[in-house]
Amino acid sequence: MNLKEHLKSGVIAGVVWGWLAYLTNAVTGVFPFEGSFAQDIVSFSFGGAVFGVATGASLALLGGLIPFRGIVARAVFASAFIWIVLRLAGDMLSMMEPHRYHLLTAETVQGLALAVALGAILGIMVRKAKVSAPVNA
Amino acid sequence: MERILSGVNGNALLLQALMLVIFSVMTVSIAYGVESVAPGVHDAFHDFRHVIGMPCH
């Protein structure tokens, strides 16, 4: 499967994940939403798509380096790895500019769980695309 | 474009790497709300950033 298929799966998985993130936070109440529903649904969809594409592209280009055989496990690893790197860099930003960047444990736990969810959704979509690819060819 | 994304073109690797960089920059911009890269990105993705556990004020 090529990069194009991974990007396509990444966009769809990312948008679905964005909505899942919104729904999850609405249920857990970890962060009280400050924006309106209309504004948030757009930002969560677009933000989710960007994260999905970045994860899908990383999976397509660097997936061979991930020490797992299953595509879902590899996607979960890639997604969680990207999130952890971003979070660790956020720790450094927080140390450099503590008045600007704050980190909260509840949001961190929710974010890591959502990163795993993004990987699972993306992995399932890529696997489905792989299965259907020979039929479409 | 189709050929580039499908990896047929000779410059495919370079362009794929470029795309990865572009999406990485977009991801980082959204994750940290980097206003110098994209003005307005901080406010636009404020709730999203908190929900996915990224640092914010």
Side-chain angles (χ1 to χ4, degrees):
Chain A
M1 201 159 100
N2 58 31
L3 179 64
K4 186 183 143 195
E5 293 298 325
H6 277 82
L7 294 181
K8 205 188 292 178
S9 298
V11 170
I12 298 167
V15 171
V16 171
W17 174 71
W19 297 341
L20 176 71
Y22 185 91
L23 194 67
T24 302
N25 188 71
V27 171
T28 61
V30 164
F31 175 73
F33 291 116
E34 293 177 7
S36 66
F37 174 77
Q39 183 194 340
D40 278 347
I41 206 70
V42 173
S43 66
F44 277 70
S45 300
F46 187 79
V50 169
F51 270 72
V53 167
T55 308
S58 304
L59 188 64
L61 301 177
L62 309 170
L65 302 174
I66 298 172
F68 292 109
R69 292 187 69 181
I71 188 68
V72 177
R74 274 195 278 179
V76 167
F77 182 92
S79 178
F81 182 79
I82 290 170
W83 185 89
I84 288 168
V85 168
L86 286 170
R87 182 61 174 69
L88 288 175
D91 272 336
M92 285 197 288
L93 286 174
S94 183
M95 281 187 277
M96 289 189 292
E97 290 186 74
H99 61 283
R100 166 71 178 81
Y101 293 103
H102 299 286
L103 294 160
L104 299 170
T105 306
E107 289 177 5
T108 301
V109 172
Q110 178 173 271
L112 182 58
L114 285 170
V116 171
L118 172 61
I121 295 168
L122 178 65
I124 290 166
M125 293 208 61
V126 170
R127 189 170 61 189
K128 274 188 177 178
K130 266 186 176 175
V131 168
S132 61
V135 178
N136 295 334
Chain B
M1 191 66 177
E2 182 85 12
R3 288 173 60 209
I4 291 167
L5 292 174
S6 301
V8 175
N9 193 295
N11 293 323
L13 191 63
L14 185 65
L15 287 163
Q16 287 177 359
L18 185 65
M19 287 183 74
L20 185 60
V21 170
I22 289 168
F23 288 122
S24 300
V25 169
M26 286 176 76
T27 304
V28 169
S29 303
I30 291 173
Y32 303 128
V34 187
E35 289 281 319
S36 54
V37 174
V41 73
H42 178 266
D43 289 341
F45 294 96
H46 183 257
D47 286 2
F48 178 72
R49 196 160 44 252
H50 275 280
V51 167
I52 63 168
M54 289 298 141
C56 197
H57 60 74

